[in-house]
């Protein structure tokens, strides 16, 4: 029988202070406990202990020179967590807050997320505590090249396929890929999120946000509802928020907020049309996002140092970073009549917030299901690279849409409770776990 407290205690001893990693593991274990206990061979094969230990954790020095000639050293990482169902796959994050606990939580989550996509991808994550903010393109290039000087030994199209995440967009992928190509002599597409003219896939930039909206439309459809006319509060201003704003607006919803480190804006007219494109410009040129937006579009309300969850909305979509939505935010959303909370960033809601959503009857969907569209499009990029062929945007979008519909129905299949309600957290975790665990059983103790 699974003893969650004992497993977590052991894990805590071996990984002291890794609170994000523990948070992610606890959520999965609590969800899969019953299924695990029903399948006794999992216990006999010690599947849990094998599942919570990453296959490999690599850390390396990344020295680079700034434009003034000063030399800096950052730390680079790659956590290859589990490759039971396919090559390691997952993004690279460049952010000053990055540490091993965050990377292990992200890589662990990626194992189950990738399993849910139905594509053959294992789970990994990597990155650096390098902060790309305020750096020149030449500095970013030198950093990426130095980073790849170490990483290229660890990756390959059938071994490990990195991509972007926070702080790593197409520009960084370009510099990383260029150096990989030079070192290995291979143009084999080993990174995803590449430029469209050099092996990238159509719809990859939009895919995470589009996937989020496709998942939500399924949730609503199942309940006889639709996204049209819904007021949606989102946080963040990056690639995910942009994709959500684009697709949700196209389908007739109104995006009423976006946010940055400096606060949030409330836009009563909705973030639509030119304003969505303006988000892209802000991302490239500014650290402060919200203030410039409020100067550009005068009808909006600028709320410095506050979070968007203060605004009454029908759907809340945190798109920024882990643990950005806490109990106080959850209480506000509940009080203001929000009906759905869907995680578009990785694990943006704290455990306390999720418990409150459950108690209040808010329908909550977890990131490993909701934001799986990004890595799904990456998987489709890998397929196109392997075939040396490209699909049209319509073809990729159709496949992405189908994948998100499947993920939703899989969550419903495994998450439907005796009272008929759907526990999306359970559904996503059980489905993601079973596929990986069964592959581990088939492949023996390795
Ligand atoms: N970083 C994204 C995620 O969290 C995408 C990963 C990928 O495309 O490999 O899923």
């Amino acid at each position: 029988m699974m003893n969650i407290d004992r497993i977590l205690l052991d894990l805590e001893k071996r990984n002291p202070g890794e609170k994000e990693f523990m948070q992610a593991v606890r959520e999965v274990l609590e969800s899969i406990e019953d299924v695990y206990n029903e399948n006794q061979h999992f216990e006999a094969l010690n599947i849990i202990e094998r599942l919570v230990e990453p296959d490999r954790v690599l850390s390396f020095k990344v020295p680079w020179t700034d434009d003034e000639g000063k030399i800096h050293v950052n730390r680079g990482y790659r956590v290859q967590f589990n490759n039971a169902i396919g090559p390691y796959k997952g993004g690279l994050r460049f952010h000053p807050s990055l540490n091993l606990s965050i990377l292990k939580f992200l890589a662990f989550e990626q194992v189950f997320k990738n399993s849910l996509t139905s594509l053959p991808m294992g789970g990994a994550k990597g990155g650096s505590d390098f902060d790309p903010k305020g750096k020149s393109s030449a500095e970013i290039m030198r950093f990426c090249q130095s980073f790849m000087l170490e990483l290229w030994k660890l990756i390959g199209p059938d071994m490990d396929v990195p991509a972007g995440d926070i702080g790593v967009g197409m520009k960084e992928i370009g510099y990383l890929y260029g150096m990989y190509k030079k070192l290995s002599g291979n143009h084999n597409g080993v990174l995803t999120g590449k430029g469209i003219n050099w092996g990238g896939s159509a719809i990859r930039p939009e895919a995470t946000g589009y996937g989020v909206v496709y998942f939500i439309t399924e949730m609503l459809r199942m309940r006889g509802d639709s996204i049209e006319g819904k007021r949606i509060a989102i946080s963040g201003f990056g690639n995910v928020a942009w994709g959500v704003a684009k697709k949700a607006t196209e389908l007739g919803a109104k995006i009423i907020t976006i946010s940055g480190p400096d606060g949030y804006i409330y836009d009563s007219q909705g973030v639509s049309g030119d304003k969505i494109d303006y988000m892209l410009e802000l991302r490239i040129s500014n650290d402060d996002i919200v203030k410039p937006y409020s100067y550009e579009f005068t009808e909006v309300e600028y709320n410095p140092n506050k979070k968007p969850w203060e605004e009454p909305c029908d759907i809340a979509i945190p798109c920024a970073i882990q643990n950005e939505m806490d109990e106080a935010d959850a209480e506000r959303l509940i009080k203001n009549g929000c009906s759905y909370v869907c995680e578009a960033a990785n694990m943006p809601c704290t455990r306390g917030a999720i418990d409150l959503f459950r108690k209040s009857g808010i329908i909550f969907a977890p990131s490993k299901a909701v934001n799986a569209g990004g890595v799904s499009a990456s998987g489709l990029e890998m397929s196109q690279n392997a075939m040396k062929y490209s699909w049209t945007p319509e073809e990729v979008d159709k496949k992405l849409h189908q994948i998100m519909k499947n993920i939703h129905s899989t969550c419903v299949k495994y998450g439907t409770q005796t009272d008929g309600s759907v526990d999306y957290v359970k559904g996503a975790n059980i489905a993601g776990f079973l596929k990986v665990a069964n592959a581990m059983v088939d492949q023996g103790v390795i």
Side-chain angles (χ1 to χ4, degrees), residues 89-91 110 113 125 161 163-165 192 204 346 371 374-375 378:
K89 179 85 196 88
Q110 201 82 43
K113 183 196 308 196
K125 206 85 187 190
V161 183
D165 196 81
T192 59
R204 179 63 191 87
N346 287 313
N371 79 12
V375 75
S378 278

